[in-house]
Amino acid sequence: MAYEHTDIERKWREQWRKRGTYRVERDPARPKYYVLDMFPYPSGAGLHVGHPLGYIASDIVARHMRHRGFNVLHPMGYDSFGLPAEQYAIQTGQHPAKTTEENAARYRQQLDAIGFSFDWDREVRTSDPAFYKWTQWIFLQLFNSWYDPRADKARPIAELVARFERQGCQGQDADVLTGDTEEFIGPFTADEWKGFDERTRQMVLQHFRLAYLSDAWVNWCPALGTVLANDEVKDGVSERGGHPVERKRMPQWSLRITAYAQRLLDGLDGLDWSESIKEAQRNWIGRSEGATVRFPLGDDFIEVFTTRPDTLFGVSFLTLAPEHVLVPKFTTPDRRAEVEAYVATAKNRSERERQAEVDKVSGVFTGSYAKHPFTGADIPVWVGDYVLGGYGTGAVMAVPGGDQRDWRFAKHFGLPIIAVTEGADIDKEADERKDATICSEGFLKGLKVPQAITRAIEELERIGAGTGKVNFRLRDAAFGRQRYWGEPIPIYYKDDIPYPLPESALPLVLPEVDKFLPTESGEPPLARAKNWAYEGHPLETTTMPGWAGSSWYFLRYMDPHNAERFVAKEAIDHWGQVDLYIGGSEHATGHLLYFRFWTKFLHDLGLVPFDEPVKKLVNQGMVQGMSMMANVLASSRNGEEHYRLLALNNKVEGAFERNYPVDHVTFRDGRYWINEEGANRTRSISAFRDYYLDAPVIELKPVVEKMSKSKFNVVNPDDIIAKYGADTLRLYEMFLGPLEQSKPWDTHGIEGTFRFLRKFWNLFHAGAGPDQSVPSTHESAVASAKAGGGDPIHVSDDAATKAELKVLHATLKKVTEDIPKMSFNTCVSQFMIAVNELHTLKCNKRAVLEPLTIALSPFAPHIAEELWEKLGHREGIADAPWPTWEAEHLVEDSFSYPISFNGKTRLQLALPIGLSKDEVEAQVLADPEVLARLDGKAPKKVIVVPRRIVNIVV
RNA sequence: GCCCGGGUGGUGAAAUGGUAGACACGAGGGACUUAAAAUCCCUUGGCCCGCGAGGGCCGUGUGGGUUCAAGUCCCACCCCGGGCACCA
């Protein structure tokens, strides 16, 4: 009978659900394995064929490990808070919860159709109060913790308070872990602490809490009533709507991830992650060693960070960032107007812009002079937007002789350029070499750069003008969003001082609001809620960002229904770290860094026994779409002829004989783009051409680009499954190429994997019925399936031949070795080879087909399960032990040696396996053809690699 | 500019330093069929010689090198993709 994938797959989807095949319980008797996919956001667009790529790979590993006797955790859920649902809500008034519910249902339907072995009983959603109760709870732990530099870990804030009461804040404690914009808090004594009022105490503690409220620079858009991310701002206006955006200091919740910078950096070394992701994280954390230097100015000072204290004698001016807090103080009255004007424009430019426009030098003199700590010379203080407020101290000591940006600034404003290194041509450019010798006058003269750095730091520390310091590029993470659809932050305000909600008040459930927009006065949407208060005190109105829930969700899967704890200790102890995490590389520095940060924090509190969430990380490549571009010759109104590009997402042949939906035509990037899917109205291509282009087609060519709805090149897995089945889809996605690589999707290639499954099926059914050569109709297949799956298969219980066993074991070996290497494409190829060979051998032996079915089941679970049942098994295939390969079946009697002359293969010679090197050489040199080629000459050298090659050098 | 990937047939690709192009698509030819679909068989990197059996030369982005032997290792460069960047 024919391979009726639709019926088989429907049958097993139901059976697996009924039987609870993929439900998983903790089993201490077995070793555990945790396979996780990156948390998806259930978007309204549904899945395209690129999305399941990683899920299929992880499913294969999960199923494989289960066959190997592991207790496998393989869950799925939704990162269901997020912007798209909120935007949709703003536009339509539909509650985001409803949109989210619908989208999740659609996702589920699509995921189910692919036959994943997810344990859906463990599904979690970040927008579910039962889940975000614990996200809020972790936030409270962060709020109630500080980072103790002595222990190098987070500790309860109560310990810090006790410490202040005992000995105040001195030394190391006073070296507070400030966020990027906090003002410096000086040391204080225990008595001073006791004398502080509540407001001051809370303010001081904000400087230590790991979740803290502080004033931070944000891109504020008054028209939208919201804060925008850097990439939502272009040319000083919002990308959406073009409203003006200003840089503004606003109270913002932040997480002190900077406290973990060094540990986040160090932890990377032990991880089995791709080097590119680890590098991206290292760059993002951006550790640099150097020194802070204080330049006195009146009763105050300017502190800078530099990696080159050896160039101190080359300092000719200081530059402050426009947003630096001391700018107003150091501006002299005669300069005030000019400085204020400059600051007003400069600080409103986004950081992106300031960084992008390298050649535009701008700045202004404040009128003040600071004292050089070594020479006592007067150093003019400037303001320049090439200095960023958020990095280092927001001020630089400018060394035009040693730093190209300082050099450009000095050239532009005619400031002195002092040579700091020997051999520098400072008229042309700064000398940034790190192997130079210092030439500037002073005690560093003649030293090499590294020695000079050490010496300069010693001197700075000796005279109390500075200290050696490690600086990080990493900044604290903004944690508040002026949005509705996120976790409410469990904070209330009493006399404007933030206090945490008690644990008993969690979850703080997202309130109903009349509109999902900011209030008229610019408050976030939550300010619209009635009675948004705790015991009469107003509640925080910002919500958490998208990455909050995803920073710890992997723990919740271990114990998803626990109402008492975020996860039970026994569950964490059993499941431990994620053994394999699969997802896109776009999360390199966002999610994956926060994920590690939260895990380390929870580890510090003794809540989890490990401090890295993921042992092995694999990034799947992108599946790209294929767009067809047509070059057409078009005439414009003024009569000029020029080429236009027209894109189609279909094959070239006959493209212009079909009808195209006009509403799927867009003009973008100077091109027309058409899509032929989903038409309401259609217009023939000739009419289309007349209407739009009036032009003949000149050329058609395919273009590979991102698969996306906006490019009309999306391929929906549902369509593929309807035609070929989920097993074919799974195999084909894996067959496309290495998992990590990006590759274009071409539906045409799928025929090969479909044919393979049919051939595999036919191995069991050849000669099984009178009509085997004639495929049965769809109706008859349904009927026989209803009869109880008792369709005849035709397998023999005879012993397998040597040749058959060789095919089987070669395949088992390849697949067993390649799955752990994530090399799934080669597995599929091997299955194809096996089936082709068994077909040639006319093999229908149970002894061969049964183990092969188990090996195939992680890749194509439906067909495997169906055949498994037909082979007479009552238990499902999921727990069938993985068949092991045996080397004895792979030994050959002879090996066909490629005989090469000077490295070029010229002939083949079959020789028995057991021969020694010398015997091989003797036999080869006795061969008539070899002799003929040697033409009487003696070979210079003969290389014999047993079972590999013979190379004759002449 | 810096840091990661990657360049192999018409296409997706394979290849512990050891027969480059497995496997699959597409294409061409053939069988079966009234026909189509499905299935099966053969050919398929390029060029050249030969009626044929067969044989030769070239070939893994480019140029060098190491080696008996290089897609694979080393050096220099070019191109494509991704990330980061006035980071002091």
Side-chain angles (χ1 to χ4, degrees):
Chain A
M1 65 163 289
Y3 166 47
E4 300 286 356
H5 59 82
T6 309
D7 303 316
I8 292 169
E9 292 180 1
R10 190 191 306 125
K11 168 182 164 186
W12 287 107
R13 275 204 303 275
E14 279 167 25
Q15 283 295 315
W16 291 334
R17 199 186 61 238
K18 269 191 214 153
R19 298 181 187 178
T21 302
Y22 303 121
R23 201 172 298 141
V24 58
E25 297 298 335
R26 266 188 284 137
D27 179 1
R30 285 186 291 160
K32 70 92 189 183
Y33 197 82
Y34 188 175
V35 195
L36 187 60
D37 298 285
M38 282 188 193
F39 220 12
Y41 175 78
S43 82
L47 296 172
H48 66 61
V49 290
H51 294 115
L53 185 77
Y55 305 157
I56 294 168
S58 63
D59 197 53
I60 289 168
V61 173
R63 288 173 179 273
H64 173 244
M65 292 307 277
R66 183 165 171 180
H67 283 300
R68 305 202 74 160
F70 285 80
N71 188 203
V72 178
L73 181 57
H74 186 217
M76 180 51 86
Y78 307 105
D79 192 7
S80 49
F81 275 132
L83 234 42
E86 179 156 342
Q87 288 296 350
Y88 190 73
I90 291 168
Q91 283 158 21
T92 65
Q94 172 155 224
H95 198 285
K98 186 159 181 279
T99 316
T100 302
E101 181 64 40
E102 286 165 6
N103 292 350
R106 166 107 187 91
Y107 250 63
R108 176 66 188 276
Q109 204 177 24
Q110 287 189 293
L111 291 172
D112 277 350
I114 304 172
F116 293 120
S117 63
F118 296 128
D119 177 2
W120 283 105
D121 289 354
R122 290 174 182 267
E123 176 190 325
V124 300
R125 296 183 189 190
T126 52
S127 59
D128 178 356
F131 181 92
Y132 69 67
K133 170 182 179 178
W134 299 107
T135 310
Q136 292 171 333
W137 181 81
I138 294 170
F139 175 86
L140 291 182
Q141 309 310 306
L142 285 159
F143 182 84
N144 286 320
S145 299
W146 66 298
Y147 200 86
D148 182 350
R150 277 169 295 262
D152 202 16
K153 63 188 264 195
R155 285 183 179 282
I157 196 93
E159 290 183 15
L160 183 68
V161 173
R163 195 181 169 80
F164 286 165
E165 283 169 0
R166 215 165 48 241
Q167 57 194 77
C169 178
Q170 312 286 345
Q172 211 170 356
D173 287 334
D175 186 18
V176 287
L177 296 144
T178 56
D180 47 8
T181 55
E182 288 168 85
E183 288 169 46
F184 180 77
I185 290 262
F188 50 81
T189 64
D191 286 339
E192 281 173 312
W193 169 260
K194 285 171 192 156
F196 289 161
D197 61 12
E198 171 69 3
R199 175 179 302 274
T200 308
R201 286 185 182 195
Q202 288 301 327
M203 199 263 287
V204 168
L205 290 178
Q206 288 294 336
H207 288 256
F208 292 87
R209 297 183 186 277
L210 293 183
Y212 64 97
L213 187 63
S214 72
D215 283 340
W217 288 102
V218 295
N219 302 310
W220 173 252
C221 180
L224 295 175
T226 191
V227 171
L228 300 174
N230 277 336
D231 54 346
E232 292 174 311
V233 184
K234 273 208 175 109
D235 306 320
V237 297
S238 65
E239 203 176 25
R240 212 183 271 263
H243 305 291
V245 175
E246 58 188 74
R247 301 271 296 162
K248 186 177 162 186
R249 264 173 98 81
M250 283 180 69
Q252 280 282 297
W253 283 98
S254 298
L255 297 192
R256 206 176 301 277
I257 189 173
T258 50
Y260 285 85
Q262 187 65 50
R263 281 168 65 191
L264 288 168
L265 191 61
D266 295 341
L268 288 170
D269 295 336
L271 298 180
D272 184 7
W273 293 17
S274 76
E275 207 43 50
S276 62
I277 295 279
K278 289 205 264 187
E279 269 308 302
Q281 294 214 343
R282 287 189 191 109
N283 289 340
W284 191 261
I285 295 166
R287 183 184 200 273
S288 52
E289 287 180 22
T292 55
V293 185
R294 291 181 180 190
F295 290 77
L297 203 173
D299 62 347
D300 211 330
F301 59 86
I302 292 171
E303 187 171 65
V304 303
F305 174 75
T306 177
T307 55
R308 296 290 302 277
D310 55 310
T311 63
L312 254 161
F313 288 102
V315 174
S316 55
F317 58 99
L318 299 181
T319 314
L320 303 180
E323 54 270 63
H324 197 286
V325 288
L326 293 176
V327 169
K329 181 171 177 184
F330 292 155
T331 301
T332 54
D334 58 314
R335 311 288 308 161
R336 190 159 300 276
E338 204 185 329
V339 170
E340 280 177 359
Y342 178 72
V343 167
T345 46
K347 77 176 185 188
N348 273 348
R349 296 175 69 201
S350 74
E351 274 185 22
R352 278 281 156 85
E353 283 177 297
R354 279 161 61 176
Q355 290 167 2
E357 292 164 23
V358 179
D359 15 281
K360 272 195 210 162
V361 176
S362 73
V364 63
F365 179 44
T366 61
S368 293
Y369 293 86
K371 284 263 180 285
H372 192 290
F374 289 162
T375 66
D378 283 335
I379 307 290
V381 178
W382 284 66
V383 178
D385 72 356
Y386 77 96
V387 179
L388 304 177
Y391 184 74
T393 61
V396 300
M397 56 174 228
V399 183
D403 182 288
Q404 191 58 26
R405 290 152 310 169
D406 297 340
W407 187 89
R408 268 200 306 266
F409 197 85
K411 268 279 177 211
H412 190 263
F413 289 108
L415 294 159
I417 300 174
I418 305 164
V420 287
T421 48
E422 283 176 12
D425 184 1
I426 54 167
D427 291 334
K428 272 203 182 135
E429 58 179 359
D431 176 16
E432 298 187 337
R433 288 175 301 146
K434 303 230 163 91
D435 55 353
T437 303
I438 301 299
C439 72
S440 47
E441 288 308 319
F443 59 87
L444 299 175
K445 190 176 164 86
L447 292 174
K448 286 280 188 188
V449 169
Q451 287 79 13
I453 290 174
T454 313
R455 181 72 191 84
I457 293 173
E458 280 170 17
E459 186 63 15
L460 284 169
E461 291 180 347
R462 193 185 65 78
I463 65 171
T467 174
K469 198 187 171 188
V470 173
N471 195 53
F472 293 95
R473 196 180 76 91
L474 184 72
R475 299 182 200 180
D476 279 344
F479 199 67
R481 298 285 185 269
Q482 275 68 18
R483 302 283 183 182
Y484 175 74
W485 192 231
E487 299 89 344
I489 294 177
I491 291 287
Y492 68 95
Y493 293 87
K494 196 159 73 184
D495 304 326
D496 289 338
I497 302 168
Y499 290 97
L501 285 185
E503 205 179 312
S504 59
L506 301 184
L508 175 61
V509 177
L510 199 55
E512 291 305 317
V513 292
D514 56 344
K515 272 188 215 165
F516 304 103
L517 288 168
T519 64
E520 281 65 32
S521 57
E523 296 280 301
L526 291 197
R528 293 176 174 276
K530 291 193 187 95
N531 305 322
W532 188 236
Y534 172 73
E535 293 182 351
H537 303 293
L539 283 161
E540 170 64 45
T541 53
T542 58
T543 53
M544 298 187 197
W547 50 268
S550 60
S551 295
W552 75 281
Y553 76 113
F554 81 111
L555 295 167
R556 190 64 183 171
Y557 279 134
M558 299 172 179
D559 190 14
H561 309 295
N562 195 329
E564 306 302 317
R565 264 178 78 91
F566 73 119
V567 52
K569 186 178 180 304
E570 309 82 67
I572 306 183
D573 287 343
H574 180 71
W575 294 115
Q577 288 165 287
V578 173
D579 293 282
L580 175 65
Y581 197 33
I582 297 187
S585 55
E586 67 273 18
H587 298 109
T589 50
H591 162 63
L592 287 170
L593 212 50
Y594 302 129
F595 202 23
R596 298 180 57 220
F597 161 41
W598 281 40
T599 303
K600 287 182 188 300
F601 169 68
L602 293 170
H603 173 75
D604 286 354
L605 295 196
L607 295 169
V608 300
F610 42 82
D611 81 338
E612 286 287 347
V614 172
K615 277 194 217 165
K616 183 178 171 69
L617 171 75
V618 173
N619 298 114
Q620 89 266 25
M622 227 181 5
V623 173
Q624 295 150 316
M626 192 79 87
S627 299
M628 268 301 164
M629 311 262 284
N631 254 322
V632 295
L633 190 62
S635 49
S636 64
R637 292 216 181 90
N638 62 14
E640 275 176 30
E641 293 201 321
H642 53 94
Y643 286 100
R644 272 267 160 86
L645 280 168
L646 185 69
L648 315 171
N649 68 344
N650 199 8
K651 279 192 78 177
V652 180
E653 297 94 55
F656 288 91
E657 278 79 62
R658 301 216 188 110
N659 289 332
Y660 287 87
V662 164
D663 39 348
H664 277 247
V665 176
T666 52
F667 188 73
R668 163 170 76 78
D669 301 339
R671 295 162 191 171
Y672 286 99
W673 301 77
I674 338 176
N675 171 45
E676 71 167 24
E677 307 286 331
N680 297 322
R681 291 179 293 142
T682 62
R683 187 185 289 270
S684 79
I685 191 62
S686 54
F688 170 83
R689 215 194 292 153
D690 295 343
Y691 188 75
Y692 286 92
L693 295 165
D694 184 27
V697 172
I698 306 297
E699 180 195 26
L700 285 164
K701 60 175 184 179
V703 172
V704 172
E705 56 181 6
K706 196 177 166 193
M707 188 174 280
S708 116
K709 215 177 169 185
S710 65
K711 295 186 193 294
F712 298 129
N713 58 5
V714 168
V715 179
N716 187 328
D718 298 350
D719 300 338
I720 304 289
I721 291 169
K723 191 160 178 198
Y724 299 100
D727 286 339
T728 297
L729 174 76
R730 291 169 63 108
L731 281 171
Y732 186 54
E733 295 240 3
M734 293 298 101
F735 186 64
L736 278 177
L739 183 64
E740 290 95 334
Q741 257 172 47
S742 288
K743 54 241 158 181
W745 178 270
D746 178 12
T747 300
H748 295 98
I750 205 168
E751 290 286 346
T753 48
F754 185 61
R755 279 178 205 145
F756 156 73
L757 283 181
R758 204 155 44 197
K759 280 192 214 166
F760 183 70
W761 178 265
N762 286 341
L763 286 175
F764 294 74
H765 292 87
D771 62 342
Q772 22 51 50
S773 58
V774 185
S776 60
T777 62
H778 192 74
E779 286 71 22
S780 70
V782 172
S784 49
K786 276 181 186 156
D791 308 324
I793 53 168
H794 190 71
V795 293
S796 155
D797 284 328
D798 294 349
T801 65
K802 209 173 157 185
E804 289 164 347
L805 286 172
K806 193 175 142 194
V807 173
L808 171 68
H809 287 272
T811 304
L812 293 178
K813 178 174 194 281
K814 180 80 176 156
V815 174
T816 305
E817 289 174 351
D818 283 3
I819 290 177
K821 287 194 277 188
M822 303 276 128
S823 179
F824 304 110
N825 53 331
T826 52
C827 292
V828 179
S829 294
Q830 182 61 42
F831 281 125
M832 287 174 169
I833 293 167
V835 165
N836 288 344
E837 288 181 0
L838 292 176
H839 185 84
T840 306
L841 293 167
K842 299 204 184 315
C843 172
N844 69 338
K845 311 268 172 67
R846 171 184 290 271
V848 174
L849 297 182
E850 200 165 85
L852 206 55
T853 303
I854 300 171
L856 184 66
S857 72
F859 296 82
H862 308 87
I863 190 174
E865 189 83 85
E866 176 71 10
L867 292 168
W868 185 249
E869 186 189 57
K870 284 186 166 202
L871 285 165
H873 295 278
R874 308 291 298 266
E875 305 287 318
I877 198 170
D879 287 311
W882 188 255
T884 49
W885 61 275
E886 286 147 23
E888 61 182 284
H889 298 295
L890 300 176
V891 288
E892 314 246 2
D893 308 333
S894 70
F895 177 75
S896 181
Y897 277 92
I899 311 299
S900 55
F901 290 78
N902 294 334
K904 288 182 182 170
T905 308
R906 283 291 115 97
L907 60 122
Q908 301 278 317
L909 200 58
L911 296 173
I913 279 300
L915 297 184
S916 70
K917 270 192 183 185
D918 291 344
E919 287 166 330
V920 170
E921 181 171 339
Q923 291 224 20
V924 167
L925 292 180
D927 182 79
E929 206 175 330
V930 173
L931 287 173
R933 282 180 186 274
L934 282 172
D935 197 20
K937 285 174 286 217
K940 277 192 199 140
K941 195 173 180 183
V942 179
I943 314 277
V944 177
V945 184
R947 296 210 60 188
R948 280 264 175 243
I949 200 167
V950 175
N951 190 18
I952 300 169
V953 185
V954 291

